[in-house]
Amino acid sequence: TASDRGELAWWDLRTQRKARALEIASGYHALALTPDGLTVAVGIDGGIQLVDVGTGKVRTATAGFAGSPSWLRFSPDGTSVVSANLDGTVTRWDAKSARPLETLRGHSNAVQQLVFSLDGTTLYTVSSDGTAIAWGLTGNRSVKRQFTFTHDRDFDGAFDRHPGRFSPDGEAVLFTWPGGEL
């Protein structure tokens, strides 16, 4: 867990007691864990901190966006992490060096959910502007496809902080909003 007071904590699920704690930047924190469980990404104002679970070593990187990321997600292979930013951008970070690799622009409002394709070559994002974008992450990093949802949904008030996910057959990406999935 990450507290707004600046503490990253590990908990013993059997005893329900804090097993370990590290100091991190204060504020709102989105969290993500690498698939191998060795690195934690923590959202901070204007960037991320990458924490080595074994040593506690913290690497901090910024990318110039305002506020803290609303969501973080590691790629399936754990080599990069993406942050969903309040300014409508998505930043892709190198997980080893903690440097920003690129900023994806296409949404006009806060990016609220992120999900990678199973092979990690496509990133799907949803924004409170009512759009979803499928980003190609190979080759020229182009926008593969943009979708606009109907205007009968209140995307600003509807986001429930559940992550996007793929359907069991891997054929569809699902984003959760009150009243159902998109």
Side-chain angles (χ1 to χ4, degrees), residues 10 20 22 33 36-40 51-58:
W10 285 259
R20 182 176 172 203
L22 295 173
L33 184 65
D36 63 11
L38 299 177
T39 304
V40 176
V51 181
D52 183 292
V53 171
T55 66
K57 181 181 176 185
V58 177

Side-chain angles (χ1 to χ4, degrees), residues 51-74:
V51 181
D52 183 292
V53 171
T55 66
K57 181 181 176 185
V58 177
R59 294 169 286 142
T60 302
T62 58
F65 54 83
S68 299
S70 58
W71 201 267
L72 297 170
R73 180 155 316 222
F74 277 94

Side-chain angles (χ1 to χ4, degrees), residues 4 39 57-59 92 94 115 124 128 153 155 168 177:
D4 59 356
T39 304
K57 181 181 176 185
V58 177
R59 294 169 286 142
R92 197 165 70 94
D94 179 78
V115 65
Y124 298 88
S128 59
R153 297 184 186 250
F155 288 91
W177 300 89

Side-chain angles (χ1 to χ4, degrees), residues 30-32 41-43 47-48 50 65 69-76 79-85 89-95 101-104 111 113-116 120 122-125 135 137:
L31 289 175
V42 180
I48 63 169
L50 295 174
F65 54 83
S70 58
W71 201 267
L72 297 170
R73 180 155 316 222
F74 277 94
S75 60
T79 61
S80 65
V81 61
V82 290
S83 62
N85 307 319
T89 63
V90 174
T91 304
R92 197 165 70 94
W93 309 81
D94 179 78
L101 295 170
E102 65 183 326
T103 299
L104 304 173
V111 179
Q113 293 189 40
L114 308 160
V115 65
F116 279 96
T122 305
L123 175 68
Y124 298 88
T125 60
W135 305 90
L137 298 179

